[in-house]
Amino acid sequence: MTRSFRTLRSLVLLSPLVIASLRLSAQSPVVSPPVAQPPLRFEVASVRPHQSAGDEPSNRRVLPGGRFVATATTVRTLIRIAFGTDDNRMSGAPSWTDNETFDIDATTADHAEVTTPQQFQQLILSLLEDRFQLKFHREQKEGAVYWLELNKPGKPGPALKPSTPGSEPNMSTNSTGSRTVMKVTNMSMIDLAAALRRQAGRPVEDHTDLKGNFDFQIEWSPEETPDSADPSLFTVLKEQLGLKLQSAKGNLETLVIDEISHPSAN
């Protein structure tokens, strides 16, 4: 979100493949799949500056026929998706990657379907390299993380419900600035850890040992004050989900942007 989006209502809806791509960075170490996925690339990709007509939400969708559609999306968001990383694990990105938004309509060669999060991430990376001339390297360092744990061993909170079999995976975060609402359907604790890293301000690792997928809805105040109508995220996690965020140290990978440019012509 940029400019007025930071203070006005924002809505983020993630498709299952987008969620799964973000999930990868919450798993440490990342295990390579046993069979290498065939590389996919976009054969046609339209990238245009977003023409704002008001308070449109930023949205990204993977559609049948190998089509990817993004609206009001920043380049920094694309980088986060491609690498499964977050702002505090990224350096060197110029300010325009966060201040300017783009609309993207891209289709894979031969309309090949995108079936795995690894393929989706590779597609977004190839888009960044081909159209935004992205060049980067990685560095390792120790840093602060959170461990997502049960507040009381073996006792989830009352709002954490096992998912109904066959329900569609979905995660949405709706923020008004004074209140944030997260609604989750059919998602695992690894998914939740991946989603919480932006809300908590540092990477989150799942140490709950809770298996299976869950449904819940929680509301909290991003900045708890005596006048806040809602409690903090930490309080909501503990009282409603039976979870806590425990400070810890971890080995963090930092993405360093060496070069990135405005998109080439369509």
Side-chain angles (χ1 to χ4, degrees):
M1 300 292 176
T2 61
R3 295 184 291 269
S4 62
F5 294 165
R6 295 185 185 279
T7 55
L8 298 177
R9 187 182 183 194
S10 62
L11 175 64
V12 178
L13 298 175
L14 302 182
S15 72
L17 274 175
V18 176
I19 294 169
S21 69
L22 294 176
R23 177 190 311 171
L24 295 179
S25 65
Q27 304 173 12
S28 180
V30 175
V31 180
S32 298
V35 177
Q37 299 293 333
L40 294 181
R41 298 188 78 84
F42 288 125
E43 183 175 54
V44 178
S46 170
V47 181
R48 301 181 184 279
H50 176 70
Q51 302 299 319
S52 178
D55 186 23
E56 309 96 334
S58 177
N59 188 26
R60 290 154 295 284
R61 293 173 292 157
V62 179
L63 302 175
R67 189 179 175 199
F68 171 66
V69 177
T71 56
T73 295
T74 67
V75 173
R76 187 180 289 269
T77 296
L78 296 178
I79 295 172
R80 284 197 296 260
I81 293 173
F83 293 94
T85 191
D86 210 344
D87 291 340
N88 58 1
R89 296 166 64 186
M90 184 193 314
S91 67
S95 60
W96 68 264
T97 62
D98 195 38
N99 296 332
E100 300 179 22
T101 58
F102 297 88
D103 295 336
I104 300 169
D105 193 336
T107 306
T108 58
D110 299 321
H111 297 275
E113 298 289 353
V114 184
T115 59
T116 71
Q118 291 86 357
Q119 286 180 328
F120 178 62
Q121 287 186 292
Q122 179 57 49
L123 274 173
I124 300 301
L125 176 57
S126 69
L127 178 72
L128 288 165
E129 291 176 330
D130 293 344
R131 299 300 300 277
F132 295 88
Q133 296 78 54
L134 171 67
K135 293 181 174 57
F136 64 92
H137 70 275
R138 296 180 172 91
E139 296 178 353
Q140 295 285 336
K141 65 177 182 179
E142 185 180 63
V145 302
Y146 283 121
W147 284 8
L148 182 65
E149 301 176 333
L150 281 169
N151 187 47
K152 297 180 180 178
K155 190 176 180 180
L160 194 62
K161 307 292 186 181
S163 297
T164 302
S167 60
E168 185 71 19
N170 186 65
M171 180 181 296
S172 65
T173 303
N174 187 347
S175 179
T176 62
S178 60
R179 172 182 293 181
T180 300
V181 180
M182 176 181 284
K183 186 174 182 179
V184 170
T185 303
N186 197 15
M187 308 301 290
S188 70
M189 287 296 102
I190 291 177
D191 299 326
L192 176 58
L196 284 176
R197 72 171 184 259
R198 292 200 70 193
Q199 310 296 337
R202 66 176 74 170
V204 179
E205 300 176 6
D206 173 35
H207 289 265
T208 63
D209 291 327
L210 289 177
K211 308 302 180 185
N213 291 356
F214 300 88
D215 300 345
F216 64 85
Q217 179 171 320
I218 54 176
E219 302 179 11
W220 71 89
S221 173
E223 297 183 5
E224 189 176 22
T225 67
D227 298 328
S228 298
D230 299 293
S232 69
L233 173 62
F234 289 79
T235 300
V236 168
L237 288 174
K238 183 177 293 185
E239 294 181 351
Q240 297 186 29
L241 303 186
L243 305 173
K244 64 180 179 181
L245 292 173
Q246 183 69 40
S247 293
K249 290 290 186 180
N251 190 32
L252 306 180
E253 181 178 85
T254 299
L255 176 71
V256 181
I257 307 299
D258 297 315
E259 183 179 333
I260 194 165
S261 304
H262 282 82
S264 57
N266 293 311

